Short mmCIF file of all heavy atoms in Angstrom, two decimals:
data_model
loop_
_atom_site.label_atom_id
_atom_site.label_comp_id
_atom_site.label_asym_id
_atom_site.label_seq_id
_atom_site.Cartn_x
_atom_site.Cartn_y
_atom_site.Cartn_z
N MET A 1 119.71 69.28 100.05
CA MET A 1 119.79 70.33 99.14
C MET A 1 119.96 71.73 100.18
O MET A 1 119.26 72.00 101.09
CB MET A 1 118.48 70.58 98.41
CG MET A 1 118.49 71.67 97.56
SD MET A 1 117.07 71.66 96.52
CE MET A 1 117.40 72.90 95.37
N ASN A 2 120.93 72.52 99.77
CA ASN A 2 121.26 73.78 100.45
C ASN A 2 120.61 74.92 99.77
O ASN A 2 120.95 75.11 98.75
CB ASN A 2 122.79 73.94 100.60
CG ASN A 2 123.14 75.05 101.65
OD1 ASN A 2 122.35 75.47 102.23
ND2 ASN A 2 124.45 75.49 101.44
N ARG A 3 119.72 75.53 100.45
CA ARG A 3 118.94 76.67 99.93
C ARG A 3 119.51 77.96 100.53
O ARG A 3 119.68 78.06 101.90
CB ARG A 3 117.36 76.56 100.29
CG ARG A 3 116.85 75.52 99.57
CD ARG A 3 115.35 75.61 99.83
NE ARG A 3 114.65 74.39 99.28
CZ ARG A 3 113.44 74.12 99.21
NH1 ARG A 3 112.64 74.68 100.04
NH2 ARG A 3 112.86 73.07 98.64
N VAL A 4 119.79 78.92 99.79
CA VAL A 4 120.31 80.18 100.11
C VAL A 4 119.03 81.21 99.95
O VAL A 4 118.65 81.46 98.89
CB VAL A 4 121.44 80.72 99.30
CG1 VAL A 4 121.81 82.04 99.73
CG2 VAL A 4 122.62 79.63 99.46
N TYR A 5 118.52 81.67 101.17
CA TYR A 5 117.43 82.43 101.18
C TYR A 5 117.91 83.93 100.96
O TYR A 5 118.87 84.49 101.53
CB TYR A 5 116.73 82.39 102.58
CG TYR A 5 115.90 81.08 102.53
CD1 TYR A 5 116.46 79.91 103.13
CD2 TYR A 5 114.69 81.01 101.99
CE1 TYR A 5 115.78 78.83 103.25
CE2 TYR A 5 113.92 79.87 101.96
CZ TYR A 5 114.52 78.70 102.58
OH TYR A 5 113.74 77.54 102.58
N VAL A 6 117.27 84.58 100.09
CA VAL A 6 117.52 86.09 99.75
C VAL A 6 116.41 86.87 100.51
O VAL A 6 116.84 87.85 101.26
CB VAL A 6 117.21 86.40 98.25
CG1 VAL A 6 117.40 87.79 98.09
CG2 VAL A 6 118.32 85.64 97.39
N CYS A 7 115.32 86.43 100.58
CA CYS A 7 114.20 87.10 101.28
C CYS A 7 113.63 86.11 102.38
O CYS A 7 113.07 85.13 102.03
CB CYS A 7 113.09 87.50 100.44
SG CYS A 7 111.63 88.23 101.32
N ASN A 8 114.02 86.52 103.62
CA ASN A 8 113.56 85.64 104.83
C ASN A 8 112.16 85.94 105.12
O ASN A 8 111.41 84.82 105.66
CB ASN A 8 114.46 85.98 106.13
CG ASN A 8 115.79 85.29 105.80
OD1 ASN A 8 115.96 84.25 105.35
ND2 ASN A 8 116.84 86.12 106.14
N CYS A 9 111.54 87.09 104.86
CA CYS A 9 110.25 87.28 105.09
C CYS A 9 109.24 86.43 104.33
O CYS A 9 108.20 86.09 104.89
CB CYS A 9 109.86 88.96 104.74
SG CYS A 9 110.83 90.07 105.79
N PHE A 10 109.57 86.26 103.04
CA PHE A 10 108.72 85.50 102.18
C PHE A 10 109.34 84.14 101.84
O PHE A 10 108.76 83.25 100.94
CB PHE A 10 108.27 86.14 101.06
CG PHE A 10 107.29 87.29 101.41
CD1 PHE A 10 107.88 88.74 101.43
CD2 PHE A 10 106.07 87.19 101.84
CE1 PHE A 10 106.99 89.79 101.76
CE2 PHE A 10 105.22 88.26 102.10
CZ PHE A 10 105.71 89.49 102.10
N GLY A 11 110.50 83.68 102.29
CA GLY A 11 111.13 82.47 101.99
C GLY A 11 111.52 82.33 100.49
O GLY A 11 111.56 81.27 99.97
N VAL A 12 111.91 83.52 99.97
CA VAL A 12 112.37 83.45 98.61
C VAL A 12 114.00 83.09 98.37
O VAL A 12 114.64 83.77 99.00
CB VAL A 12 112.15 84.79 97.84
CG1 VAL A 12 112.53 84.91 96.41
CG2 VAL A 12 110.72 85.11 97.87
N THR A 13 114.25 82.13 97.54
CA THR A 13 115.60 81.69 97.59
C THR A 13 116.33 82.39 96.41
O THR A 13 115.76 83.08 95.51
CB THR A 13 115.65 80.07 97.32
OG1 THR A 13 115.23 79.81 95.96
CG2 THR A 13 115.06 79.35 98.39
N GLU A 14 117.69 82.25 96.40
CA GLU A 14 118.53 82.83 95.37
C GLU A 14 118.18 82.09 94.02
O GLU A 14 118.16 82.89 93.02
CB GLU A 14 119.94 82.53 95.63
CG GLU A 14 120.92 83.06 94.71
CD GLU A 14 122.42 82.90 95.12
OE1 GLU A 14 122.68 83.30 96.34
OE2 GLU A 14 123.08 82.37 94.44
N ALA A 15 117.91 80.92 93.97
CA ALA A 15 117.44 80.15 92.81
C ALA A 15 116.30 80.72 92.28
O ALA A 15 116.14 80.82 91.02
CB ALA A 15 117.34 78.69 93.12
N GLN A 16 115.29 81.08 93.11
CA GLN A 16 114.05 81.62 92.62
C GLN A 16 114.25 82.96 92.06
O GLN A 16 113.63 83.23 90.91
CB GLN A 16 112.98 81.68 93.78
CG GLN A 16 112.45 80.32 94.18
CD GLN A 16 111.61 80.33 95.55
OE1 GLN A 16 112.03 80.99 96.42
NE2 GLN A 16 110.41 79.80 95.39
N VAL A 17 115.05 83.76 92.65
CA VAL A 17 115.25 85.14 92.12
C VAL A 17 115.97 85.02 90.72
O VAL A 17 115.53 85.56 89.66
CB VAL A 17 116.19 85.97 92.96
CG1 VAL A 17 116.54 87.22 92.25
CG2 VAL A 17 115.45 86.35 94.32
N LYS A 18 116.90 84.05 90.55
CA LYS A 18 117.52 83.79 89.34
C LYS A 18 116.62 83.31 88.25
O LYS A 18 116.72 83.66 87.06
CB LYS A 18 118.72 82.86 89.49
CG LYS A 18 119.97 83.46 90.21
CD LYS A 18 121.02 82.43 90.49
CE LYS A 18 122.16 83.07 91.18
NZ LYS A 18 123.35 82.11 91.24
N GLN A 19 115.64 82.53 88.55
CA GLN A 19 114.64 81.90 87.81
C GLN A 19 113.77 83.10 87.24
O GLN A 19 113.56 83.16 85.94
CB GLN A 19 113.93 80.79 88.29
CG GLN A 19 112.84 80.14 87.38
CD GLN A 19 113.56 79.51 86.13
OE1 GLN A 19 114.43 78.84 86.25
NE2 GLN A 19 113.06 79.96 84.96
N HIS A 20 113.34 84.01 88.16
CA HIS A 20 112.48 85.00 87.76
C HIS A 20 113.32 86.01 86.78
O HIS A 20 112.68 86.46 85.66
CB HIS A 20 112.01 85.85 88.91
CG HIS A 20 110.99 85.11 89.71
ND1 HIS A 20 109.72 84.58 89.13
CD2 HIS A 20 110.91 84.79 91.02
CE1 HIS A 20 109.11 83.95 90.14
NE2 HIS A 20 109.82 84.16 91.32
N ALA A 21 114.53 86.11 87.04
CA ALA A 21 115.35 86.92 86.19
C ALA A 21 115.43 86.31 84.78
O ALA A 21 115.45 86.98 83.73
CB ALA A 21 116.69 87.18 86.81
N ALA A 22 115.66 85.02 84.74
CA ALA A 22 115.82 84.22 83.50
C ALA A 22 114.42 84.32 82.75
O ALA A 22 114.49 84.29 81.51
CB ALA A 22 116.11 82.86 83.83
N ASP A 23 113.41 84.46 83.37
CA ASP A 23 111.99 84.59 82.81
C ASP A 23 111.74 85.99 82.44
O ASP A 23 110.74 86.26 81.81
CB ASP A 23 110.85 84.16 83.82
CG ASP A 23 111.10 82.67 84.11
OD1 ASP A 23 111.62 81.92 83.28
OD2 ASP A 23 110.40 82.25 85.15
N GLY A 24 112.58 86.89 82.57
CA GLY A 24 112.38 88.35 82.15
C GLY A 24 112.36 89.47 83.14
O GLY A 24 112.40 90.58 82.67
N ALA A 25 112.20 89.07 84.41
CA ALA A 25 112.35 90.16 85.49
C ALA A 25 113.70 90.76 85.55
O ALA A 25 114.64 90.05 85.83
CB ALA A 25 111.80 89.68 86.80
N CYS A 26 113.89 92.12 85.36
CA CYS A 26 115.30 92.53 85.38
C CYS A 26 115.37 93.73 86.47
O CYS A 26 116.50 94.46 86.30
CB CYS A 26 115.65 92.75 83.94
SG CYS A 26 114.72 93.94 83.05
N THR A 27 114.46 93.95 87.19
CA THR A 27 114.52 95.02 88.14
C THR A 27 114.04 94.48 89.52
O THR A 27 113.16 93.53 89.54
CB THR A 27 113.75 96.23 87.91
OG1 THR A 27 112.27 95.81 87.87
CG2 THR A 27 114.08 96.82 86.48
N PRO A 28 114.50 95.04 90.63
CA PRO A 28 114.01 94.61 91.88
C PRO A 28 112.42 94.72 92.06
O PRO A 28 111.76 93.89 92.56
CB PRO A 28 114.63 95.38 92.93
CG PRO A 28 115.83 95.76 92.23
CD PRO A 28 115.55 95.99 90.79
N ARG A 29 111.82 95.61 91.29
CA ARG A 29 110.45 95.76 91.48
C ARG A 29 109.75 94.75 90.72
O ARG A 29 108.70 94.25 91.14
CB ARG A 29 110.02 97.23 90.71
CG ARG A 29 108.59 97.56 90.76
CD ARG A 29 108.36 98.89 90.23
NE ARG A 29 106.86 99.27 90.43
CZ ARG A 29 106.51 100.30 89.98
NH1 ARG A 29 107.26 101.27 89.55
NH2 ARG A 29 105.11 100.70 90.20
N GLN A 30 110.33 94.36 89.59
CA GLN A 30 109.76 93.06 88.82
C GLN A 30 109.88 91.76 89.67
O GLN A 30 108.95 90.93 89.60
CB GLN A 30 110.39 92.96 87.41
CG GLN A 30 109.98 94.14 86.50
CD GLN A 30 110.70 94.13 85.20
OE1 GLN A 30 111.79 93.63 85.07
NE2 GLN A 30 110.01 94.68 84.22
N ILE A 31 110.92 91.70 90.33
CA ILE A 31 111.16 90.40 91.16
C ILE A 31 110.19 90.56 92.28
O ILE A 31 109.60 89.55 92.59
CB ILE A 31 112.52 90.43 91.85
CG1 ILE A 31 113.63 90.33 90.64
CG2 ILE A 31 112.81 89.44 92.80
CD1 ILE A 31 113.68 88.88 89.91
N ALA A 32 109.91 91.68 92.82
CA ALA A 32 108.92 91.84 93.89
C ALA A 32 107.49 91.49 93.36
O ALA A 32 106.64 90.73 94.10
CB ALA A 32 108.91 93.29 94.47
N SER A 33 107.09 91.88 92.06
CA SER A 33 105.90 91.56 91.54
C SER A 33 105.73 89.93 91.46
O SER A 33 104.65 89.51 91.61
CB SER A 33 105.65 92.27 90.30
OG SER A 33 105.56 93.65 90.37
N ALA A 34 106.77 89.41 91.10
CA ALA A 34 106.86 87.82 90.76
C ALA A 34 106.82 87.08 92.10
O ALA A 34 106.24 85.95 92.08
CB ALA A 34 107.89 87.50 89.92
N SER A 35 107.43 87.59 93.10
CA SER A 35 107.73 86.65 94.31
C SER A 35 107.43 87.31 95.63
O SER A 35 107.55 86.64 96.78
CB SER A 35 109.21 86.25 94.27
OG SER A 35 110.03 87.36 94.49
N LYS A 36 107.10 88.59 95.69
CA LYS A 36 106.94 89.46 96.98
C LYS A 36 108.31 89.79 97.68
O LYS A 36 108.28 90.52 98.56
CB LYS A 36 105.99 88.64 97.93
CG LYS A 36 104.55 88.60 97.56
CD LYS A 36 103.69 88.07 98.69
CE LYS A 36 102.27 87.98 98.34
NZ LYS A 36 101.45 87.46 99.46
N ALA A 37 109.38 89.26 97.18
CA ALA A 37 110.58 89.49 97.72
C ALA A 37 110.87 90.96 97.70
O ALA A 37 110.78 91.65 96.75
CB ALA A 37 111.71 88.79 97.03
N GLY A 38 111.30 91.63 98.93
CA GLY A 38 111.67 92.90 98.91
C GLY A 38 110.44 93.90 99.34
O GLY A 38 110.63 95.10 99.33
N THR A 39 109.30 93.28 99.65
CA THR A 39 108.16 94.12 99.69
C THR A 39 107.70 94.28 101.18
O THR A 39 106.82 94.95 101.53
CB THR A 39 106.85 93.71 98.95
OG1 THR A 39 106.61 92.25 99.47
CG2 THR A 39 107.07 93.52 97.40
N ASP A 40 108.48 93.52 102.09
CA ASP A 40 108.13 93.61 103.46
C ASP A 40 109.18 94.60 104.31
O ASP A 40 109.02 95.79 104.35
CB ASP A 40 108.04 92.18 104.20
CG ASP A 40 107.45 92.29 105.63
OD1 ASP A 40 106.60 93.20 105.86
OD2 ASP A 40 107.73 91.36 106.30
N CYS A 41 110.18 93.91 104.79
CA CYS A 41 111.16 94.78 105.47
C CYS A 41 112.20 95.50 104.55
O CYS A 41 112.79 96.42 104.95
CB CYS A 41 111.94 93.95 106.47
SG CYS A 41 113.29 92.84 105.91
N GLY A 42 112.41 94.86 103.33
CA GLY A 42 113.17 95.62 102.37
C GLY A 42 114.73 95.29 102.44
O GLY A 42 115.52 95.69 101.80
N SER A 43 115.11 94.47 103.56
CA SER A 43 116.44 94.13 103.72
C SER A 43 117.15 93.45 102.60
O SER A 43 118.36 93.39 102.38
CB SER A 43 116.74 93.56 105.06
OG SER A 43 116.26 92.29 105.14
N CYS A 44 116.35 92.67 101.79
CA CYS A 44 116.90 91.90 100.65
C CYS A 44 117.05 92.56 99.40
O CYS A 44 117.55 92.06 98.49
CB CYS A 44 116.06 90.59 100.52
SG CYS A 44 114.36 91.11 100.08
N VAL A 45 116.59 93.83 99.34
CA VAL A 45 116.62 94.56 98.03
C VAL A 45 118.01 94.65 97.42
O VAL A 45 118.24 94.42 96.24
CB VAL A 45 115.98 95.91 98.10
CG1 VAL A 45 116.07 96.64 96.82
CG2 VAL A 45 114.58 95.87 98.37
N ARG A 46 118.99 94.92 98.27
CA ARG A 46 120.31 95.07 97.66
C ARG A 46 120.89 93.73 97.38
O ARG A 46 121.63 93.63 96.36
CB ARG A 46 121.27 95.65 98.89
CG ARG A 46 121.03 97.06 99.04
CD ARG A 46 121.99 97.70 99.98
NE ARG A 46 121.68 99.06 100.22
CZ ARG A 46 122.49 100.12 100.00
NH1 ARG A 46 123.70 99.90 99.51
NH2 ARG A 46 121.96 101.31 100.22
N SER A 47 120.55 92.59 97.96
CA SER A 47 120.86 91.25 97.46
C SER A 47 120.27 90.97 96.13
O SER A 47 120.98 90.36 95.31
CB SER A 47 120.52 90.23 98.59
OG SER A 47 121.14 90.37 99.72
N ILE A 48 119.09 91.34 96.03
CA ILE A 48 118.44 91.19 94.74
C ILE A 48 119.05 91.94 93.60
O ILE A 48 119.32 91.47 92.43
CB ILE A 48 116.84 91.50 94.81
CG1 ILE A 48 116.09 90.49 95.70
CG2 ILE A 48 116.30 91.51 93.39
CD1 ILE A 48 114.75 90.94 96.07
N GLN A 49 119.38 93.22 93.86
CA GLN A 49 120.18 94.01 92.82
C GLN A 49 121.44 93.43 92.47
O GLN A 49 121.82 93.39 91.34
CB GLN A 49 120.35 95.40 93.51
CG GLN A 49 119.18 96.36 93.63
CD GLN A 49 119.37 97.63 94.33
OE1 GLN A 49 120.23 97.65 95.27
NE2 GLN A 49 118.61 98.61 94.06
N ALA A 50 122.13 92.84 93.54
CA ALA A 50 123.37 92.24 93.19
C ALA A 50 123.25 90.93 92.32
O ALA A 50 124.10 90.67 91.44
CB ALA A 50 124.09 91.77 94.48
N LEU A 51 122.20 90.12 92.64
CA LEU A 51 121.90 89.00 91.83
C LEU A 51 121.59 89.36 90.43
O LEU A 51 121.81 88.71 89.48
CB LEU A 51 120.78 88.22 92.42
CG LEU A 51 121.10 87.47 93.63
CD1 LEU A 51 119.85 86.81 94.21
CD2 LEU A 51 122.11 86.20 93.27
N LEU A 52 120.83 90.47 90.20
CA LEU A 52 120.47 90.91 88.90
C LEU A 52 121.52 91.53 88.09
O LEU A 52 121.71 91.25 86.94
CB LEU A 52 119.31 91.98 88.94
CG LEU A 52 117.96 91.49 89.47
CD1 LEU A 52 116.96 92.74 89.64
CD2 LEU A 52 117.43 90.34 88.69
N GLY A 53 122.60 92.14 88.85
CA GLY A 53 123.67 92.63 88.29
C GLY A 53 123.36 93.58 87.09
O GLY A 53 122.40 94.28 86.90
N ARG A 54 124.32 93.67 86.11
CA ARG A 54 124.21 94.43 85.02
C ARG A 54 124.09 93.61 83.65
O ARG A 54 124.52 93.89 82.73
CB ARG A 54 125.51 95.45 84.74
CG ARG A 54 125.50 96.43 85.86
CD ARG A 54 124.61 97.66 85.66
NE ARG A 54 124.58 98.31 84.31
CZ ARG A 54 123.82 99.17 83.88
NH1 ARG A 54 122.81 99.50 84.69
NH2 ARG A 54 123.96 99.75 82.74
N GLY A 55 123.42 92.44 83.80
CA GLY A 55 123.16 91.60 82.77
C GLY A 55 122.27 92.23 81.64
O GLY A 55 121.75 93.36 81.79
N THR A 56 122.00 91.47 80.64
CA THR A 56 121.18 91.86 79.63
C THR A 56 119.68 92.07 80.13
O THR A 56 119.09 91.16 80.70
CB THR A 56 121.15 90.86 78.43
OG1 THR A 56 122.58 90.86 78.03
CG2 THR A 56 120.34 91.40 77.30
N CYS A 57 119.18 93.28 79.83
CA CYS A 57 117.78 93.50 80.22
C CYS A 57 117.25 94.52 79.07
O CYS A 57 117.84 95.53 78.86
CB CYS A 57 117.76 94.28 81.51
SG CYS A 57 116.12 94.79 81.98
N PRO A 58 116.29 94.04 78.28
CA PRO A 58 115.86 94.89 77.19
C PRO A 58 115.45 96.20 77.67
O PRO A 58 115.71 97.27 76.93
CB PRO A 58 114.61 94.12 76.66
CG PRO A 58 114.74 92.66 77.15
CD PRO A 58 115.59 92.81 78.44
N ARG A 59 114.85 96.33 78.79
CA ARG A 59 114.33 97.78 79.22
C ARG A 59 115.56 98.61 79.62
O ARG A 59 115.56 99.77 79.44
CB ARG A 59 113.28 97.55 80.39
CG ARG A 59 112.16 96.98 79.88
CD ARG A 59 111.17 96.60 80.91
NE ARG A 59 111.44 97.04 82.34
CZ ARG A 59 110.57 97.58 83.10
NH1 ARG A 59 109.30 97.72 82.65
NH2 ARG A 59 110.82 97.95 84.36
N ARG A 60 116.63 97.91 80.19
CA ARG A 60 117.83 98.74 80.64
C ARG A 60 118.50 99.18 79.35
O ARG A 60 119.09 100.30 79.20
CB ARG A 60 118.81 97.85 81.50
CG ARG A 60 119.90 98.67 81.96
CD ARG A 60 120.73 97.78 82.91
NE ARG A 60 120.02 97.47 84.13
CZ ARG A 60 120.00 96.22 84.64
NH1 ARG A 60 120.64 95.26 84.04
NH2 ARG A 60 119.23 95.99 85.70
N GLU A 61 118.51 98.37 78.33
CA GLU A 61 119.18 98.70 77.04
C GLU A 61 118.53 99.84 76.43
O GLU A 61 119.12 100.84 75.89
CB GLU A 61 119.22 97.47 76.12
CG GLU A 61 120.21 96.41 76.50
CD GLU A 61 120.07 95.09 75.78
OE1 GLU A 61 119.19 95.14 74.86
OE2 GLU A 61 120.72 94.18 76.08
N LEU A 62 117.10 99.96 76.46
CA LEU A 62 116.41 101.06 76.06
C LEU A 62 116.68 102.25 76.76
O LEU A 62 116.78 103.37 76.12
CB LEU A 62 114.89 100.78 76.00
CG LEU A 62 114.32 99.67 75.08
CD1 LEU A 62 112.70 99.45 75.46
CD2 LEU A 62 114.50 100.19 73.70
N ALA A 63 116.80 102.15 78.04
CA ALA A 63 117.02 103.32 78.85
C ALA A 63 118.51 103.85 78.49
O ALA A 63 118.70 105.09 78.50
CB ALA A 63 116.98 102.97 80.29
N ASP A 64 119.46 103.05 78.33
CA ASP A 64 120.87 103.44 77.95
C ASP A 64 120.94 104.21 76.55
O ASP A 64 121.69 105.02 76.35
CB ASP A 64 121.67 102.14 77.92
CG ASP A 64 122.09 101.63 79.26
OD1 ASP A 64 121.77 102.41 80.36
OD2 ASP A 64 122.54 100.48 79.36
N GLN A 65 119.93 103.86 75.69
CA GLN A 65 119.87 104.50 74.41
C GLN A 65 119.05 105.69 74.48
O GLN A 65 118.70 106.44 73.55
CB GLN A 65 119.25 103.50 73.40
CG GLN A 65 120.00 102.32 73.12
CD GLN A 65 119.35 101.38 72.37
OE1 GLN A 65 118.19 101.53 71.90
NE2 GLN A 65 119.87 100.12 72.14
N GLY A 66 118.41 106.11 75.66
CA GLY A 66 117.58 107.26 75.82
C GLY A 66 116.16 107.11 75.38
O GLY A 66 115.43 108.18 75.18
N GLN A 67 115.76 105.94 75.23
CA GLN A 67 114.35 105.56 74.77
C GLN A 67 113.43 105.38 75.91
O GLN A 67 113.89 105.02 77.05
CB GLN A 67 114.33 104.42 73.79
CG GLN A 67 115.12 104.65 72.69
CD GLN A 67 115.02 103.42 71.70
OE1 GLN A 67 114.22 102.54 71.71
NE2 GLN A 67 116.17 103.24 70.74
N PRO A 68 112.13 105.61 75.83
CA PRO A 68 111.23 105.33 76.95
C PRO A 68 111.29 103.83 77.20
O PRO A 68 111.30 102.96 76.38
CB PRO A 68 109.79 105.81 76.40
CG PRO A 68 110.08 106.15 74.87
CD PRO A 68 111.54 106.15 74.53
N VAL A 69 111.14 103.50 78.62
CA VAL A 69 111.15 102.27 79.01
C VAL A 69 109.86 101.60 79.62
O VAL A 69 109.72 100.46 79.88
CB VAL A 69 112.29 101.94 79.95
CG1 VAL A 69 113.64 102.09 79.39
CG2 VAL A 69 112.07 102.81 81.14
N LEU A 70 108.86 102.43 79.74
CA LEU A 70 107.62 102.06 80.27
C LEU A 70 106.87 101.08 79.30
O LEU A 70 106.80 101.46 78.09
CB LEU A 70 106.68 103.32 80.67
CG LEU A 70 107.10 104.02 81.83
CD1 LEU A 70 106.02 105.10 81.98
CD2 LEU A 70 107.04 103.13 83.04
N THR A 71 106.48 100.10 79.73
CA THR A 71 105.77 99.08 78.91
C THR A 71 104.27 99.07 79.50
O THR A 71 103.82 99.73 80.42
CB THR A 71 106.23 97.62 78.96
OG1 THR A 71 106.12 97.26 80.31
CG2 THR A 71 107.67 97.74 78.52
N GLY A 72 103.36 98.32 78.69
CA GLY A 72 101.93 98.16 79.10
C GLY A 72 101.86 97.53 80.58
O GLY A 72 101.05 97.98 81.25
N VAL A 73 102.85 96.72 80.80
CA VAL A 73 102.88 96.08 82.24
C VAL A 73 103.12 97.05 83.27
O VAL A 73 102.35 97.12 84.28
CB VAL A 73 103.79 94.89 82.30
CG1 VAL A 73 103.94 94.31 83.67
CG2 VAL A 73 103.50 93.72 81.29
N ASP A 74 104.09 97.88 83.09
CA ASP A 74 104.47 98.93 83.95
C ASP A 74 103.31 100.02 84.13
O ASP A 74 103.00 100.42 85.28
CB ASP A 74 105.77 99.67 83.65
CG ASP A 74 106.97 98.72 83.97
OD1 ASP A 74 106.86 97.89 84.80
OD2 ASP A 74 107.96 98.85 83.25
N ALA A 75 102.81 100.38 83.00
CA ALA A 75 101.74 101.33 83.00
C ALA A 75 100.50 100.84 83.71
O ALA A 75 99.88 101.48 84.49
CB ALA A 75 101.42 101.73 81.65
N GLY A 76 100.24 99.50 83.58
CA GLY A 76 99.16 98.87 84.23
C GLY A 76 99.28 98.90 85.66
O GLY A 76 98.35 99.07 86.44
N LEU A 77 100.56 98.64 86.15
CA LEU A 77 100.97 98.55 87.46
C LEU A 77 100.78 99.97 88.22
O LEU A 77 100.17 100.11 89.24
CB LEU A 77 102.26 97.95 87.71
CG LEU A 77 102.84 97.96 89.22
CD1 LEU A 77 102.04 97.07 89.91
CD2 LEU A 77 104.19 97.39 89.24
N ASP A 78 101.33 100.98 87.39
CA ASP A 78 101.20 102.34 88.00
C ASP A 78 99.77 102.70 87.97
O ASP A 78 99.41 103.43 89.03
CB ASP A 78 101.97 103.35 87.09
CG ASP A 78 103.50 103.06 87.09
OD1 ASP A 78 103.97 102.50 87.97
OD2 ASP A 78 104.13 103.50 86.11
N THR A 79 98.84 102.36 87.08
CA THR A 79 97.39 102.75 87.24
C THR A 79 96.84 102.06 88.34
O THR A 79 96.14 102.74 89.05
CB THR A 79 96.77 102.34 85.84
OG1 THR A 79 97.36 102.98 84.81
CG2 THR A 79 95.30 102.58 85.84
N ALA A 80 97.23 100.82 88.60
CA ALA A 80 96.62 99.98 89.70
C ALA A 80 97.09 100.77 91.04
O ALA A 80 96.19 100.77 91.97
CB ALA A 80 97.06 98.51 89.69
N LEU A 81 98.32 101.15 91.18
CA LEU A 81 98.69 101.82 92.34
C LEU A 81 98.06 103.16 92.67
O LEU A 81 97.73 103.48 93.61
CB LEU A 81 100.22 101.98 92.22
CG LEU A 81 101.12 100.76 92.31
CD1 LEU A 81 102.69 101.03 92.16
CD2 LEU A 81 100.98 100.08 93.69
N ASP A 82 97.96 103.96 91.48
CA ASP A 82 97.17 105.15 91.59
C ASP A 82 95.69 104.94 92.07
O ASP A 82 95.20 105.66 92.89
CB ASP A 82 97.11 105.93 90.20
CG ASP A 82 98.53 106.38 89.89
OD1 ASP A 82 99.40 106.54 90.67
OD2 ASP A 82 98.76 106.67 88.61
N GLU A 83 95.11 103.93 91.55
CA GLU A 83 93.65 103.66 91.90
C GLU A 83 93.62 103.17 93.37
O GLU A 83 92.59 103.53 93.99
CB GLU A 83 93.09 102.72 90.87
CG GLU A 83 92.78 103.14 89.49
CD GLU A 83 92.41 102.01 88.61
OE1 GLU A 83 92.27 100.86 89.04
OE2 GLU A 83 92.26 102.37 87.49
N ALA A 84 94.62 102.62 93.85
CA ALA A 84 94.58 102.05 95.32
C ALA A 84 94.76 103.16 96.11
O ALA A 84 94.36 103.06 97.28
CB ALA A 84 95.72 101.01 95.40
N ALA A 85 95.43 104.23 95.62
CA ALA A 85 95.80 105.34 96.67
C ALA A 85 94.59 106.28 96.95
O ALA A 85 93.54 106.32 96.69
CB ALA A 85 96.91 106.18 96.08
#
């Protein structure tokens, strides 16, 4: 089996990124939360963005309509980051 690695730091493959996207992750930040990809050296973030493309993303559709896109998950993450600082 030929594996194409997107993130060498954490050994995350293209197939794993696509699976996380299919499961609902539609931003590099959400991919990072699910797999750690993009959280070390950052060189894979552009590859992740390319894999995500401009496909269907409920939050992106809300943003395009000018509606707020923060959800409970994002708000919880932002709160956790603020508390850690």
